[in-house]
Amino acid sequence: MTERFPLAVLASGRGSNLQALIDAQRAGTLPIDIVLVAGDKQQALALRRAEEAGIPTLALDPKTYPDRAAFDTDLFTRVAAYRPRLIVLAGFMRILNAAVLAPWAGRIINIHPSLLPKYRGLHTHRRALEAGDAVHGSSVHYVTAELDGGPMIAQVQMPILPGDTDETLAERLLPHEHRLLVAVLAHIAAARIALHGTDVSLDGRVLSSPLRLREDGVLAA
Ligand code: GAR
């Protein structure tokens, strides 16, 4: 059997992106091993999904730490003990400090529900509607201390339709997000995507713009 790529997932909420990874792992279409699912909310559905799948979980309560830095340090120390090669932020709704991120440069990614650099932060669907955008989407990027600002890996796009609300947009985007995250992880596990400084490469060639997930599931430059 080929070796599976060990990764940890951090999640704060519903965990549908985590579920997409679990499903792909189970189906044998993604050669990953989710070694830990950790979060900042004991009640998060993401943690229940992990338990159901037999994946170790960890929930830390930020309120029990003296400050943000202490929480971040403890979280990342514990995550590192599971020896993941990559950390995936899948709906992890906290900003992390530069010191804990530094040792993970190039080994931590985030999925965000907008076509970055548009709409960093919250309420991305509503903001896309209010701006009158014709197209919406989701981005996967390497994480730096700058909120939703690290080097871009890949995006998926979809049209905004007449009558769309922020709920319908979020709902329609979600399956695209799942496909995007799975596709990016397949490439990272195969060592096809990497970060060099601030440059992202595919098969050794530096990208001048984010990869685009096509309808057929191919990540195209
Ligand atoms: C996803 O839409 C993801 O892009 C977003 O949270 C949702 C998590 O859904 N992430 C962010 O907004 C991070 N800035 P899930 O819990 O069902 O995977």
Side-chain angles (χ1 to χ4, degrees):
M1 197 177 110
T2 46
E3 200 185 323
R4 289 169 173 270
F5 188 88
L7 57 85
V9 175
L10 304 191
S12 302
R14 172 183 56 185
S16 72
N17 278 283
L18 166 68
Q19 190 67 54
L21 300 186
I22 293 171
D23 292 347
Q25 177 183 330
R26 276 194 180 144
T29 52
L30 187 60
I32 59 168
D33 179 16
I34 305 174
V35 295
L36 175 71
V37 174
D40 56 337
K41 294 200 170 54
Q42 176 68 55
Q43 300 309 319
L45 180 56
L47 297 179
R48 305 290 89 73
R49 293 180 190 265
E51 286 163 6
E52 180 115 329
I55 298 167
T57 60
L58 172 68
L60 301 179
D61 181 353
K63 290 196 292 296
T64 63
Y65 292 81
D67 53 32
R68 298 184 72 89
F71 174 85
D72 291 356
T73 300
D74 191 35
L75 174 64
F76 274 65
T77 301
R78 289 168 183 253
V79 170
Y82 285 80
R83 304 244 171 265
R85 285 174 61 190
L86 183 80
I87 297 175
V88 179
L89 306 186
F92 186 65
M93 303 307 277
R94 291 179 65 86
I95 298 171
L96 296 161
N97 75 67
V100 293
L101 289 172
W104 289 91
R107 294 191 298 141
I108 178 164
I109 65 171
N110 178 48
I111 183 157
H112 181 76
S114 79
L115 294 173
L116 291 170
K118 284 186 165 185
Y119 318 132
R120 297 177 183 185
L122 300 175
H123 311 303
T124 58
H125 313 298
R126 188 192 314 159
R127 288 157 70 198
L129 283 174
E130 285 172 356
D133 291 355
V135 176
H136 190 41
S138 176
S139 306
V140 174
H141 63 94
Y142 286 104
V143 175
T144 63
E146 189 185 350
L147 175 67
D148 301 323
M152 289 291 312
I153 301 172
Q155 296 184 323
V156 62
Q157 299 194 357
M158 65 170 209
I160 294 180
L161 305 176
D164 260 332
T165 64
D166 46 359
E167 286 86 13
T168 62
L169 266 191
E171 190 183 317
R172 267 211 338 281
L173 183 60
L174 203 55
H176 294 295
E177 293 202 76
H178 300 161
R179 290 192 306 118
L180 179 67
L181 189 57
V182 168
V184 168
L185 282 175
H187 282 62
I188 292 177
R192 295 188 60 193
I193 289 175
L195 181 70
H196 317 270
T198 56
D199 288 334
V200 178
S201 67
L202 171 68
D203 298 332
R205 292 177 53 180
V206 172
L207 301 177
S208 53
S209 56
L211 298 168
R212 279 270 297 273
L213 183 68
R214 298 193 322 216
E215 286 289 326
D216 62 4
V218 171
L219 275 181

